[in-house]
Amino acid sequence: MAHMKPMELDEGWNFMQSGIQKLKKILEGHPEQFTSEEYMMLYTTIYNMCTQKPPHDYSQQLYEKYKEAFEEYIRSTVLPSLREKHDEFMLRELVKRWANHKIMVRWLSRFFHYLDRYFITRRSLPALNEVGLTCFRVSVYEETKGKARDAVIALIDQEREGEQIDRALLKNVLGIYVEIGMGQMDCYVQDFEAHMLADTAAYYSRKASNWIVQDSCPDYMLKNVQNELLVTYSSQLLEKEHSGCRTLLQDDKVEDLTRMFRLFSKIPKGLDPVANMFKQHVTAEGMSLVQQAEDAASNKAENVGGPQEQVFVRKIIELHDKFMTYVTDCFSNHTLFHKALKEAFEVFCNKVVAGFSSAELLASYCDNILKKGGSEKLSDEAIEETLDKAAALLLFNGSDRLSFSEIKTQLNLADEDVVRLLQSLSCAKYKILIKEPPSRTVSETDYFQFNSKFTDRMRRIRIPLPPVDERKKVVEDVDKDRRYAIDAAIVRIMKSRKTLGHQQLVSECVEQLGRMFKPDFKAIKKRIEDLITREYLERDKENPNVF
């Protein structure tokens, strides 16, 4: 194999073209399908062309040709079929073409999967799935969104007038506006919703001019009750003393809050003040817990995760559970209230409590639950429910014998943590695992198997881990995570800006990371130097303060 002649780009791509042409025929309705042999040959061709030694590594060229395959199909087939249709017929064609495009993305992503695994990951390029969907958005969606929107609004107006319309078609078209945003609602909101709301306002404005002439006073008031009772007095209603939004939150009036959400969601920006009051209420509740923890903290120095801090973390979790129920049940999982809840918790969860950061307290809380069942001495079932996770013994349910490296990979732990864990299970008082070779220390070449003969007269036993400086370890872990976050922010900024001065880079980095933590300027500078060393960025040859 090592002496085989390298596959040239034209030769390999000609073979790939045959597979792509067959896929296009399938999408156009031809009764064909891929055999497993064809699929493997197409995948293997891409694999071979990406793993050849330079200058025959064609990863970059194949990445570009992957995109070109979509662009050519859209240009030659998709756009012509859409341009010749109008109104409802155009909508049906658009739905069909979007469904076909997603199938094409799925299949081509499989053929080119090796690019996703290595080349794209190393270069931090957009994934194959994202590239394929973006081609449709740029070439098809941008051209047809206006016509599609007008056709959908025309159907909605027909239904308002009492006509029967194809609601399934309407739902599928609106699904395109949502899906094309790839996780964001911007396309739906800007390209459809804003226009639909404007049309709705214009429609009912026209209707109102007829109703005022045709209807009796009571009938007209029934049609306009929402505007008069809610819009005009919304602020006064929400702020109402003893029964307004804040009071409903304080008194846990779930039904009333649900009704408030339902009514205020129907008026423009009606939910903004409700979400703001919800955020203020959650913030106040959380700050109250912080103050309680501070007041109850011992005057003398206390280890991280003392009793009062453990209670504080448990109450914070309970508070989050309570208000998450509000978000899901009362506020219909609306993004505005998810955002309000998140921002409220960011306020008080980033406070220092009794000298300890929230990261230290949370890590200590989990450690305490695992070791002792928490301050409440939880049952096994309650501990499992609380953590919903790090046990190592579960790995042996599927395998009788595992190596050190297999255990490390499956648990996703650092070497020192795996050593401590396995030492406590195989080298200490209780030999729950049998270690090969038998010794008092654990090394990376050891193998472990479950000791099926292990018994003990106690129904429940405690297996202590070798001691470790918990606070030091927490700080090290947090610092390590923050290094990764700073690296990612710097690379993200530089990919976007291409060239940037030192001060601007630091400022933008601080701004991006501000929601998670407040980065130290020295740490950012150190990460920049490290990224330069690893050739993620470089200094300008004429100005060393420009990257």
Side-chain angles (χ1 to χ4, degrees):
M1 289 293 287
H3 301 293
M4 285 180 64
K5 181 183 176 184
M7 182 183 292
E8 296 297 333
L9 179 61
D10 289 343
E11 176 192 355
W13 185 246
N14 286 337
F15 179 74
M16 292 305 301
Q17 280 281 51
S18 66
I20 294 171
Q21 289 303 321
K22 181 170 183 177
L23 177 57
K24 290 177 182 178
K25 288 181 180 178
I26 294 171
L27 294 178
E28 295 304 313
H30 289 256
E32 299 185 50
Q33 59 183 5
F34 286 105
T35 65
S36 57
E37 290 80 8
E38 286 175 318
Y39 167 76
M40 283 306 300
M41 282 298 295
L42 289 163
Y43 175 87
T44 303
T45 299
I46 295 294
Y47 172 84
N48 289 338
M49 295 172 76
C50 292
T51 54
Q52 298 176 143
K53 292 183 179 180
H56 299 287
D57 178 353
Y58 297 117
S59 299
Q60 180 66 48
Q61 294 93 323
L62 289 171
Y63 183 71
E64 293 165 0
K65 285 186 175 293
Y66 170 84
K67 180 181 177 183
E68 290 169 7
F70 289 108
E71 292 173 337
E72 190 279 326
Y73 179 60
I74 288 170
R75 188 169 53 251
S76 64
T77 307
V78 178
L79 287 176
S81 71
L82 285 166
R83 287 168 181 160
E84 66 185 18
K85 295 179 176 64
H86 304 282
D87 303 323
E88 191 171 337
F89 297 101
M90 186 274 290
L91 293 180
R92 294 187 188 282
E93 186 68 18
L94 181 62
V95 169
K96 170 189 165 185
R97 291 299 172 182
W98 174 238
N100 282 353
H101 189 83
K102 289 190 287 186
I103 294 171
M104 187 175 183
V105 170
R106 191 160 64 246
W107 273 99
L108 287 192
S109 296
R110 290 173 181 171
F111 297 159
F112 288 75
H113 182 59
Y114 192 78
L115 284 175
D116 248 344
R117 289 175 60 195
Y118 296 101
F119 174 74
I120 288 173
T121 304
R122 286 199 298 265
R123 300 287 183 91
S124 299
L125 295 169
L128 295 177
N129 187 66
E130 182 182 344
V131 171
L133 298 180
T134 300
C135 285
F136 191 93
R137 182 171 66 189
V138 171
S139 301
V140 181
Y141 174 79
E142 288 299 329
E143 179 173 322
T144 59
K145 66 182 181 183
K147 286 171 62 179
R149 177 191 66 230
D150 294 342
V152 168
I153 290 175
L155 285 176
I156 293 172
D157 284 343
Q158 288 174 30
E159 188 177 51
R160 286 171 177 155
E161 295 295 341
E163 297 181 34
Q164 290 284 336
I165 66 167
D166 188 343
R167 283 198 156 206
L169 173 63
L170 211 63
K171 180 182 177 184
N172 289 333
V173 175
L174 294 181
I176 296 175
Y177 282 93
V178 174
E179 291 175 25
I180 208 74
M182 291 184 275
Q184 303 294 325
M185 292 295 286
D186 296 358
C187 293
Y188 174 81
V189 172
Q190 295 168 12
D191 298 336
F192 176 76
E193 186 182 61
H195 297 270
M196 189 270 288
L197 292 175
D199 177 80
T200 302
Y203 175 86
Y204 283 108
S205 177
R206 294 192 301 270
K207 283 292 184 183
S209 63
N210 293 327
W211 291 338
I212 197 68
V213 175
Q214 299 169 1
D215 292 345
S216 66
C217 180
D219 289 340
Y220 183 85
M221 285 192 297
L222 282 172
K223 288 172 179 174
N224 290 270
V225 70
Q226 176 175 299
N227 184 74
E228 293 306 314
L229 294 186
L230 281 180
V231 177
T232 307
Y233 298 104
S234 61
S235 296
Q236 190 175 339
L237 190 63
L238 291 172
E239 298 282 356
K240 203 168 180 64
E241 194 175 1
H242 305 308
S243 63
C245 184
R246 287 188 178 86
T247 304
L248 297 182
L249 287 165
Q250 289 166 4
D251 297 342
D252 298 324
K253 299 289 187 181
V254 174
E255 287 186 16
D256 292 328
L257 287 167
T258 305
R259 188 178 300 109
M260 178 176 282
F261 171 82
R262 191 170 63 249
L263 291 173
F264 278 83
S265 64
K266 295 177 181 177
I267 63 177
K269 297 193 178 294
L271 291 178
D272 287 358
V274 182
N276 191 45
M277 289 181 179
F278 176 64
K279 176 184 172 181
Q280 291 172 6
H281 177 71
V282 176
T283 303
E285 292 278 298
M287 290 303 295
S288 175
L289 292 181
V290 172
Q291 191 58 51
Q292 288 174 26
E294 286 286 357
D295 293 343
S298 173
N299 291 326
K300 61 183 180 180
E302 193 172 20
N303 289 332
V304 59
Q308 296 303 329
E309 288 74 34
Q310 292 289 318
V311 171
F312 168 72
V313 174
R314 180 168 49 78
K315 286 185 176 180
I316 289 289
I317 294 171
E318 289 171 357
L319 192 73
H320 190 271
D321 289 344
K322 173 185 173 180
F323 287 119
M324 181 55 77
T325 302
Y326 276 45
V327 171
T328 54
D329 295 351
C330 300
F331 305 133
S332 298
N333 257 328
H334 196 285
T335 53
L336 209 56
F337 291 87
H338 274 288
K339 182 172 181 283
L341 182 64
K342 175 178 176 289
E343 290 178 353
F345 267 75
E346 283 175 354
V347 172
F348 56 82
C349 279
N350 283 322
K351 298 290 182 184
V352 174
V353 179
F356 300 112
S357 69
S358 56
E360 290 176 297
L361 292 177
L362 285 168
S364 177
Y365 177 80
C366 292
D367 183 60
N368 190 53
I369 289 288
L370 281 171
K371 286 180 176 175
K372 310 169 186 174
S375 56
E376 306 90 338
K377 303 298 180 187
L378 299 175
S379 66
D380 291 348
E381 293 79 11
I383 292 173
E384 191 70 24
E385 185 178 346
T386 302
L387 295 174
D388 196 23
K389 293 289 185 181
L393 292 175
L394 292 178
L395 299 179
F396 290 88
N397 284 345
S399 303
D400 293 331
R401 187 171 182 266
L402 292 168
S403 67
F404 179 95
S405 59
E406 287 172 329
I407 295 171
K408 176 189 169 185
T409 300
Q410 292 191 51
L411 291 179
N412 195 24
L413 292 175
D415 282 3
E416 60 269 21
D417 291 328
V418 179
V419 168
R420 292 178 64 239
L421 179 66
L422 293 175
Q423 197 160 15
S424 66
L425 292 171
S426 64
C427 302
K429 177 181 178 182
Y430 301 108
K431 304 290 192 298
I432 296 176
L433 297 181
I434 298 173
K435 189 174 80 69
E436 302 170 15
S439 65
R440 300 293 296 174
T441 58
V442 172
S443 70
E444 295 182 3
T445 57
D446 290 344
Y447 279 81
F448 300 85
Q449 66 181 57
F450 180 68
N451 183 3
S452 58
K453 296 179 181 178
F454 175 80
T455 58
D456 195 85
R457 61 187 182 85
M458 300 294 289
R459 187 181 69 86
R460 182 173 176 176
I461 60 173
R462 181 173 179 272
I463 303 173
L465 285 170
V468 68
D469 186 340
E470 293 292 348
R471 182 165 188 183
K472 180 183 176 184
K473 189 175 186 305
V474 167
V475 171
E476 288 175 351
D477 288 345
V478 170
D479 285 345
K480 185 178 179 182
D481 288 342
R482 289 184 175 181
R483 287 200 300 273
Y484 292 146
I486 294 171
D487 284 357
I490 293 170
V491 172
R492 194 159 51 238
I493 292 165
M494 291 305 300
K495 281 181 69 179
S496 171
R497 302 294 294 276
K498 307 301 182 191
T499 301
L500 208 59
H502 178 268
Q503 198 57 45
Q504 288 174 289
L505 177 56
V506 171
S507 299
E508 290 197 26
C509 192
V510 170
E511 184 179 345
Q512 279 202 16
L513 297 169
R515 283 180 172 272
M516 294 187 288
F517 62 92
K518 188 175 180 182
D520 178 56
F521 291 110
K522 291 182 180 177
I524 295 175
K525 184 178 178 182
K526 191 172 181 182
R527 299 319 306 153
I528 291 172
E529 296 296 336
D530 185 67
L531 289 169
I532 291 172
T533 303
R534 290 152 58 197
E535 298 184 346
Y536 278 86
L537 57 153
E538 62 182 2
R539 294 185 187 275
D540 186 87
K541 291 180 174 61
E542 297 178 1
N543 186 350
N545 284 323
V546 173
F547 303 108

